[in-house]
Amino acid sequence: MQKIILSKSQKKILLEHTLKEEPNESCAILYGNKIEEKNIVKEIWLTENIDSSPTEFTLSPEQTWEMDQKRKELNLEIIGIFHSHPKGEAYPSNTDKKFMENNPYVWIIYSGINKNFRAFIFNLDSVEIPIQEK
Ligand SMILES: [Zn+2]
């Protein structure tokens, strides 16, 4: 079973970004290493949601390009995509699932109503995986 390792301070970084972007969805790219089934987050890149929407998020083509540049600079893998659901549960929407299928990373979602993080991978459907603090 896969899991993702996200430290307390990394959660804080994501949470602060989320609060700053509310009422819109926020997003971030998680870089790190994958060792067997363990996805270890090492660096977080806070990105801009060009949709400025409370129910959707999109990265600009420039950010998509930069996302790959950063991966090379950091010499890490892209292991996860973070986004928030300010007014929803921390579960992937149908739109999220379509993106998950094409972007096979760990997807972390934060719920603004339940104040919790959940992580998912896509395998025929979204499957929840544990988030471990260390
Ligand atoms: Zn979503």
Side-chain angles (χ1 to χ4, degrees):
M1 165 91 119
Q2 286 203 48
K3 60 182 169 187
I4 187 157
I5 318 294
L6 187 70
S7 72
K8 216 175 193 148
S9 58
Q10 288 168 336
K11 277 187 185 166
K12 197 165 164 260
I13 291 168
L14 294 173
L15 187 58
E16 280 169 4
H17 180 52
T18 293
L19 296 175
K20 208 175 108 234
E21 298 299 313
E22 273 182 6
N24 297 326
E25 288 197 1
S26 57
C27 42
I29 306 299
L30 312 176
Y31 296 93
N33 297 116
K34 191 174 173 187
I35 301 164
E36 286 162 14
E37 300 282 84
K38 256 167 117 177
N39 296 275
I40 306 161
V41 179
K42 297 259 176 79
E43 296 282 342
I44 295 175
W45 179 40
L46 302 176
T47 55
E48 188 197 340
N49 177 6
I50 61 163
D51 287 341
S52 295
S53 155
T55 53
E56 279 174 289
F57 79 97
T58 308
L59 298 188
S60 64
E62 292 79 12
Q63 288 188 110
T64 308
W65 182 83
E66 208 180 327
M67 174 172 94
D68 209 44
Q69 287 304 113
K70 282 193 186 292
R71 178 182 61 77
K72 292 174 197 157
E73 276 168 35
L74 294 164
N75 197 23
L76 294 170
E77 296 167 59
I78 296 170
I79 54 164
I81 295 180
F82 165 81
H83 76 286
S84 64
H85 287 172
K87 295 271 179 282
E89 307 265 340
Y91 284 99
S93 65
N94 287 333
T95 314
D96 290 338
K97 285 183 192 175
K98 273 182 218 139
F99 283 114
M100 289 174 84
E101 221 178 332
N102 297 322
N103 297 280
Y105 308 119
V106 178
W107 283 58
I108 294 187
I109 305 176
Y110 177 79
S111 163
I113 51 174
N114 295 327
K115 320 277 180 215
N116 63 342
F117 291 90
R118 287 180 185 271
F120 301 86
I121 52 170
F122 194 88
N123 185 4
L124 301 173
D125 198 349
S126 62
V127 179
E128 185 166 7
I129 64 163
I131 300 177
Q132 200 178 296
E133 238 171 46
K134 261 285 169 251

